[in-house]
Amino acid sequence: MSILVQKFGGTSVADSQKILAAARRAVRARQEGKQVVMVVSAMGHNTDQLVELAGQITDQPRPREMDMLLSTGEQVSVALMAMAIHSLGHEAISLTGAQIGIKTDSTHTKARIRSISTERMRRALEEGKIVIAAGFQGIDEDFNITTLGRGGSDTTAVALAAVLRADACEIYTDVDGVYTTDPRVLPEARHMKRVSYDEMLELASLGAGVMHNRSIEFAKKFSVPIHVRSSFTDKPGTMITALPEAPDQPVGGAALAKKEARVAILGVPDKPGTSLAIFSKIAGRAVAVDMIVQDVGAGGRADMSFTVLNDDLRATLEAAEEVAAELGAERVVHNDAMAKISVVGLGMAQQTGVAERMFRALADAGVNIQMITTSEIKISVLVEREQGAPGLRAVHTTFGLETEPPGAASPSVLSPPPADGDALAVVARLQKMEELAIDDIALDDTQARLSVCGIADEPGIAAAIFEAVAAGGIFVDMIVQSYGREGMSKISFTVPQKQYQQCRDLLQELAGRLNCGPISGSEKVSKLSVSGIGLRSHTDVAIRTFRCLADAGINVDLINTSEVRVNVVVEGQHGRQALSCLQAAFADCMH
Ligand code: ASP
Ligand code: MG
C-alpha cells in the first residue's frame, strides 16, 4: 500500500475547527486506500508564546529546558488530532518524537537527526491506523528531548517520508504554494506549478520562507516529491521535485531580502590566509555571512566585502574591526540599509545573456548595483534598500515571470515514482543525512579573468559592460562585483582563455566611454568549485576552503558563495595543487 505523509503547519491546526478539517483530509486519503502519516506542528503561535513565556522567567533559559518546553506544543496538537480522527470514526495513534524513535544529536534547540526507526510507525500503519507524529522533536542518546530548530516540522515530515519511502510528502500551510516571488511585495507574482529542489534551496535562503531549508535538502537527497499546498482549499499547490517548471526558461523565480547590511574591509593585505582570518573571526561570533565577495587586489591590497543580516551587524563590525587591526587593513566601512535581489533558474546554467538582462532591467529602473555574485543557477545583486522593491519588479517583468511558461505541466502528472530502495539502507544513510555532503569539487582551468576598476556609483555600468561583452560573442562565467572606497566598485569576471585578448580590447575601448578603468586581468586562472548540500547550514565550508588554500600558500583572487556552492578563483598555475588540497580537506564528507 502506498504511504502518504501529510504535514500540517501551525496555521493549519490553529483551532479545533482547523484540527477537525485537517483530520478529515487525512481520513479522506485513508479512504482512498493510502496509509497516512500526519506530521503536526504546534497550534497557531503556540511556540512563539512558549518562547515568550520563557523570556519572562529568565534572559538565559538553558537550551535543554527550552526544548523540554517547546516540544509540548506539538504534544498538544498530536493528541487533539488523534481525538479528532477518533471522533470521525477512524483509528489513529499519536506519537512523540521519542516514541517514534527519532534520534538526534544533543545540540539542543537545533538538533540534527541521526536516525529514525520505522518499526512502530509501520506496525500502526499495518493495523490500519493513521499515524500522527509530533513534528520538530526528537531525543538524544540520554533520552533528553531535543528540537530541530524553528520551523523544524517540515524537516520531520520530509525525513519520515524518506525513511518510509512515501509516495509523496504534502505540506499543508496557509499559502497555496510557491510563487515566482513574494506576492506580498509584488502582486503580479505567479503561482508556480512546479519548482526544482535546487531553485527552492536557493530561494529559501533568499527569503522566500515557504519551507525549512533543511527539509528541502533532505527531499533532494532522498528524492522525496513535495507538494506544498493550502490547507484551506483543494486547489493543487506547487510540486517540488528534481525538475524545474520550464527547463528552457533561464529564470524561474526572483527574491528580495530586505534586511541586509554590507560590510567591507578595505585594504587588506592581498596574501594567502586573509579570507580565512576574516571569516573565522566572524564565524567565531556565530554570525552567518551571506554574500561573500572578494575581488582581486591591486598594489598588494585587496578589499573584502560581504553581507550579513542587520541583526548581526553590530557583532560583525566588532569582529571586523578586530581582524582589520590584526591584519593591518586600512579600515572597515558599512551600510545598514541594503537589500539583495536575486534570480534563480536551473535553465540559467545552459544559457548566456541572463546576467546582462537582469542588469539592464535594473539600470532602466534607475537602480544602482553595489555588489554582484553569481553561481550556476543564481545571480544576486546588492542595492540600496529603498530600491529593493522597484528593482525586484523590474527583474520580475524582464524575465516575464508573471506569465506561465509553455509546458508547465500540472502537478498530478509530475510526481516521479519513488525510487526503489531498501528501507534499511535508507535508515542507514539517514545516520549520515545531516552531515555535510559535498557532491563535487571541480577545477576549471580553461578560464581567464578580467577586472574593471573605478566603477562609479551610478546605475547602468554593469549593464553596459555585459551587453558589450555579450555583443562581442564572449561567454561570461562567474561575475563578482565588490564595493570599495569612495563609492567606487570593481567588477571582475571570468571568460574562456581564448577570448581573453578580445575581451580586454573591448573593455579598454569601453572604459573610455564609460569613464571607468583601469582594466586588468590574468590570461589564465583556475576556478575551483566546492558544491554540495548543506553549505549554508554548515558555515564552515567557506572557512575550510580558505584554510586549505591558505595552508598551501595559495592566494585567492575572487570568491563568491551561494547556497549550494563556494567558488574561488586562483592564479592559473595553482589550479591542480588547489584541487588536490581541497579534495583532501573535504575527503571526510564526499559522497
Ligand atoms: N512549532 C515549531 C515552530 O514554530 C515547529 C514548526 O512549526 O515547524 O518553530
Ligand atoms: Mg511553524
Side-chain angles (χ1 to χ4, degrees):
M1 208 182 285
S2 67
I3 299 181
L4 177 65
V5 173
Q6 297 186 317
K7 181 253 168 177
F8 293 88
T11 47
S12 309
V13 293
D15 56 39
S16 52
Q17 288 312 312
K18 289 185 176 142
I19 292 177
L20 281 160
R24 281 193 284 274
R25 229 179 240 287
V27 164
R28 219 191 309 157
R30 180 78 198 90
Q31 284 169 333
E32 282 164 10
K34 298 193 176 101
Q35 293 186 328
V36 181
V37 175
M38 298 176 88
V39 175
V40 184
S41 292
M43 292 171 69
H45 297 290
N46 181 275
T47 312
D48 292 328
Q49 285 153 6
L50 292 172
V51 170
E52 212 201 293
L53 205 50
Q56 290 171 18
I57 303 275
T58 164
D59 286 347
Q60 289 171 316
R62 296 197 190 163
R64 181 188 181 281
E65 306 311 329
M66 253 344 244
D67 280 352
M68 187 65 110
L69 178 69
L70 297 191
S71 64
T72 61
E74 274 70 14
Q75 194 166 332
V76 170
S77 45
V78 288
L80 293 173
M81 188 63 78
M83 293 174 197
I85 297 206
H86 297 157
S87 77
L88 298 172
H90 289 263
E91 277 308 308
I93 180 170
S94 62
L95 296 171
T96 63
Q99 287 170 330
I100 295 169
I102 299 183
K103 297 266 174 56
T104 70
D105 64 15
S106 304
T107 336
H108 285 290
T109 75
K110 40 183 182 298
R112 296 179 164 267
I113 298 174
R114 288 246 168 95
S115 66
I116 298 179
S117 111
T118 54
E119 212 243 271
R120 178 130 189 214
M121 286 188 289
R122 290 238 187 248
R123 212 183 330 131
L125 291 172
E126 291 307 325
E127 289 164 7
K129 291 179 181 144
I130 292 175
V131 170
I132 303 164
F136 167 64
Q137 53 177 263
I139 43 162
D140 75 359
E141 278 198 328
D142 292 326
F143 303 97
N144 296 301
I145 295 178
T146 54
T147 64
L148 307 179
R150 296 303 307 274
S153 297
D154 290 336
T155 297
T156 306
V158 177
L160 292 186
V163 287
L164 291 167
R165 281 288 168 205
D167 277 3
C169 180
E170 296 182 334
I171 304 284
Y172 286 95
T173 172
D174 53 354
V175 295
D176 61 0
V178 180
Y179 281 72
T180 50
T181 196
D182 187 342
R184 286 168 304 186
V185 183
L186 288 195
E188 68 265 39
R190 183 179 54 81
H191 179 264
M192 299 169 89
K193 297 230 160 75
R194 178 161 57 147
V195 63
S196 66
Y197 297 127
D198 286 321
E199 289 167 331
M200 209 41 211
L201 273 170
E202 296 277 21
L203 275 170
S205 70
L206 301 175
V210 178
M211 280 184 77
H212 203 216
N213 228 13
R214 241 189 308 145
S215 67
I216 315 273
E217 294 180 346
F218 279 19
K220 179 182 174 188
K221 247 193 234 183
F222 293 97
S223 310
V224 177
I226 296 179
H227 187 180
V228 183
R229 55 193 305 187
S230 162
S231 49
F232 311 124
T233 71
D234 280 330
K235 275 203 319 202
T238 303
M239 290 300 303
I240 311 177
T241 65
L243 300 170
E245 197 178 41
D248 38 300
Q249 212 83 345
V251 171
L256 177 65
K258 277 182 285 198
K259 294 186 190 140
E260 302 275 311
R262 165 174 60 71
V263 178
I265 307 184
L266 304 182
V268 297
D270 190 13
K271 60 171 200 236
T274 305
S275 346
L276 173 65
I278 293 173
F279 294 107
S280 36
K281 182 74 91 187
I282 293 167
R285 310 258 172 153
V287 170
V289 175
D290 182 15
M291 291 168 100
I292 299 182
V293 170
Q294 185 206 319
D295 210 333
V296 279
R301 301 257 154 187
D303 298 338
M304 187 75 78
S305 28
F306 52 92
T307 64
V308 294
L309 289 179
N310 271 78
D311 288 347
D312 290 330
L313 181 61
R314 189 203 280 251
T316 306
L317 287 176
E318 281 168 19
E321 289 292 355
E322 235 175 84
V323 73
E326 284 165 26
L327 292 171
E330 276 166 39
R331 67 200 145 100
V332 178
V333 295
H334 73 275
N335 181 321
D336 62 1
M338 307 299 299
K340 182 179 66 168
I341 302 170
S342 307
V343 295
V344 298
L346 226 50
M348 204 181 286
Q350 273 81 46
Q351 287 188 34
T352 56
V354 185
E356 70 259 21
R357 272 172 76 188
M358 177 177 185
F359 302 156
R360 171 50 60 200
L362 291 168
D364 289 348
V367 176
N368 179 42
I369 304 172
Q370 292 197 357
M371 273 167 69
I372 303 172
T373 75
T374 61
S375 79
E376 246 73 341
I377 68 158
K378 178 170 86 169
I379 304 168
S380 297
V381 301
L382 196 72
V383 304
E384 295 279 347
R385 187 164 299 153
E386 78 264 18
Q387 297 197 311
L392 178 70
R393 164 159 292 136
V395 167
H396 195 269
T397 310
T398 210
F399 291 108
L401 295 182
E402 63 286 345
T403 25
E404 180 155 310
S410 72
S412 53
V413 293
L414 287 168
S415 333
D420 270 343
D422 170 1
L424 278 178
V426 175
V427 176
R429 277 176 70 203
L430 258 173
Q431 318 225 347
K432 297 205 79 186
M433 165 159 97
E434 290 268 29
E435 269 140 49
L436 178 65
I438 300 295
D439 296 327
D440 193 30
I441 299 178
L443 165 66
D444 176 356
D445 53 10
T446 66
Q447 309 251 351
R449 171 187 56 81
L450 285 142
S451 302
V452 185
C453 293
I455 308 259
D457 210 6
E458 60 189 61
I461 301 183
I465 291 176
F466 291 103
E467 279 169 355
V469 168
I474 295 165
F475 186 88
V476 175
D477 181 31
M478 169 175 166
I479 303 174
V480 162
Q481 178 183 354
S482 67
Y483 192 77
R485 54 209 70 218
E486 281 80 53
M488 285 289 177
S489 57
K490 183 195 284 181
I491 293 182
S492 294
F493 55 98
T494 62
V495 300
Q497 271 151 26
K498 56 179 184 318
Q499 295 186 311
Y500 174 76
Q501 200 49 52
Q502 181 202 351
C503 191
R504 193 168 176 141
D505 295 344
L506 189 149
L507 290 174
Q508 207 64 56
E509 191 267 328
L510 197 66
R513 272 195 288 132
L514 295 177
N515 209 1
C516 52
I519 310 295
S520 59
S522 171
E523 244 170 299
K524 186 171 175 353
V525 295
S526 291
K527 174 179 150 196
L528 295 128
S529 311
V530 179
S531 51
I533 285 177
L535 265 55
R536 193 173 164 79
S537 41
H538 296 78
T539 34
D540 66 347
V541 176
I543 290 174
R544 237 204 257 198
T545 303
F546 301 151
R547 171 164 297 123
C548 133
L549 296 175
D551 288 350
I554 298 172
N555 194 30
V556 176
D557 278 353
L558 304 179
I559 301 171
N560 68 11
T561 55
S562 86
E563 194 68 26
V564 295
R565 197 181 291 261
V566 174
N567 288 318
V568 296
V569 168
V570 302
E571 278 304 309
Q573 76 271 19
H574 297 313
R576 293 261 139 228
Q577 190 200 353
L579 179 66
S580 40
C581 300
L582 286 170
Q583 280 163 340
F586 287 102
D588 60 322
C589 43
M590 287 294 286
H591 264 198

